Amino acid sequence: MKRALVTLTPPESKRLIAKAVVAMPEVQHALEHGFVYIATGTTAAYIAEEILGEEIEKEKWTVGVISKGRTCVTPKATWPKHLVLYKGEPFDDPLKALKQMGPKDVFIKGANAIDINWNVAVFAAAPDGGTIGKTFGWTITKGVFTITPVSLEKFVPTPVEESARLTGIYSFDWGTGLYSALVPIPHSHPVTEVEAYRILANVEAIPIAAGGTGGAEGSVTLVLQGEDEAMERAKEITKAVKGEPYLKPYTEDCSVCPFAKICGLGSGAF
């Protein structure tokens, strides 16, 4: 039995988790035989890169984002389409895909929170529920295998179902950004750094610390332990993700934001 101490920055964690998600047998089966639906989001963009084998402007592969100390939305001109693949090839009709998907297909959606019970939730700011509002019914009623890639940097101590009761886009009197609702995803299978190391190297990963400074903000520190051969794989995997660069900031313009009227900063409430 060997043991290692590893610190991962948020982008390094995202890359690690992305590699693990793609390696999951459910994903590999769906890539060969069915649908893989990847909803937009920064972590999901890493997964798209791993599947497509090409670089994506990941900072632009999202709509809602927490950036510069506030909840926000990216410029509408940069809003991307969800990536839907059928038998590994692009499928241009997301709604048609949702109608056809079943338990052997895969839906991938990132999250904003993971709690002490490994339950996850995502922000929704659009009045129609945004991505989760438009897809949740299809995926949960048909038993679509839903994966939530989420780093432990998003760990929250409060159960997400309790937090969700406190939120809603019209629930706040003031704030530091776009007002949002927290929406639990009860049927999802979360993949954190813990699951990622188990999937990729068959080693145990135990989170023991979090945070940092000087470019390590949001980091997660883990103890890895396992048999010699597995730990060698873990070492190589860790080397492969170390040095993953941070995403570039996007350019914001609150005056053209479609949600300015329900955003604390956009409406001048704060």
Side-chain angles (χ1 to χ4, degrees):
M1 181 75 71
K2 288 190 174 180
R3 187 173 292 158
L5 182 66
V6 172
T7 296
L8 300 174
T9 64
E12 291 167 351
S13 286
K14 289 174 187 285
R15 181 63 68 187
L16 174 77
I17 291 168
K19 289 180 179 294
V21 168
V22 176
M24 293 174 69
E26 295 88 351
V27 175
Q28 287 297 310
H29 182 274
L31 282 172
E32 185 175 352
H33 300 287
F35 285 100
V36 174
Y37 189 123
I38 307 176
T40 55
T42 55
T43 305
Y46 286 81
I47 296 170
E49 282 188 337
E50 292 290 327
I51 290 175
L52 297 175
E54 60 186 55
E55 188 174 350
I56 293 173
E57 287 188 278
K58 293 179 287 297
E59 52 278 309
K60 294 183 179 180
W61 218 68
T62 187
V63 176
V65 66
I66 297 176
S67 181
K68 298 183 179 180
R70 58 189 171 114
T71 50
C72 196
V73 64
T74 53
K76 191 171 185 178
T78 70
W79 288 0
K81 294 181 179 179
H82 299 164
L83 175 64
V84 183
L85 302 172
Y86 180 67
K87 295 184 178 181
E89 297 296 327
F91 190 88
D92 293 331
D93 192 335
L95 180 57
K96 185 177 180 180
L98 287 168
K99 291 179 178 179
Q100 295 182 16
M101 291 170 72
K104 294 185 178 180
D105 300 302
V106 171
F107 179 81
I108 299 171
K109 178 74 179 80
N112 294 99
I114 180 166
D115 69 17
I116 56 175
N117 298 312
W118 246 232
N119 294 313
V120 297
V122 63
F123 272 141
D128 64 0
T131 295
I132 195 66
K134 295 172 182 177
T135 59
F136 184 89
W138 295 105
T139 59
I140 195 168
T141 56
K142 298 198 294 177
V144 175
F145 191 81
T146 298
I147 300 172
T148 301
V150 55
S151 169
L152 291 171
E153 69 157 326
K154 297 182 180 180
F155 170 78
V156 294
T158 306
V160 294
E161 63 269 20
E162 293 183 19
S163 302
R165 297 189 188 102
L166 305 174
T167 68
I169 61 174
Y170 303 124
S171 298
F172 305 104
D173 298 305
W174 57 270
T176 59
L178 180 65
Y179 301 152
S180 301
L182 191 68
V183 182
I185 316 175
H187 62 305
S188 73
H189 300 258
V191 178
T192 70
E193 294 86 345
V194 173
E195 289 76 24
Y197 271 112
R198 184 170 63 242
I199 292 166
L200 294 172
N202 195 29
V203 300
E204 184 180 13
I206 302 97
I208 64 165
T213 188
E217 293 84 355
S219 293
V220 176
T221 299
L222 312 107
V223 169
L224 307 182
Q225 58 184 19
E227 300 300 327
D228 292 4
E229 186 176 338
M231 286 295 285
E232 283 301 311
R233 289 198 299 272
K235 181 189 290 185
E236 293 306 310
I237 291 162
T238 303
K239 287 180 179 179
V241 303
K242 289 301 290 182
E244 182 74 30
Y246 278 81
L247 300 183
K248 300 174 183 177
Y250 63 90
T251 302
E252 307 151 331
D253 182 358
C254 289
S255 66
V256 298
C257 175
F259 301 115
K261 292 183 179 180
I262 56 172
C263 172
L265 291 179
S267 64
F270 186 77

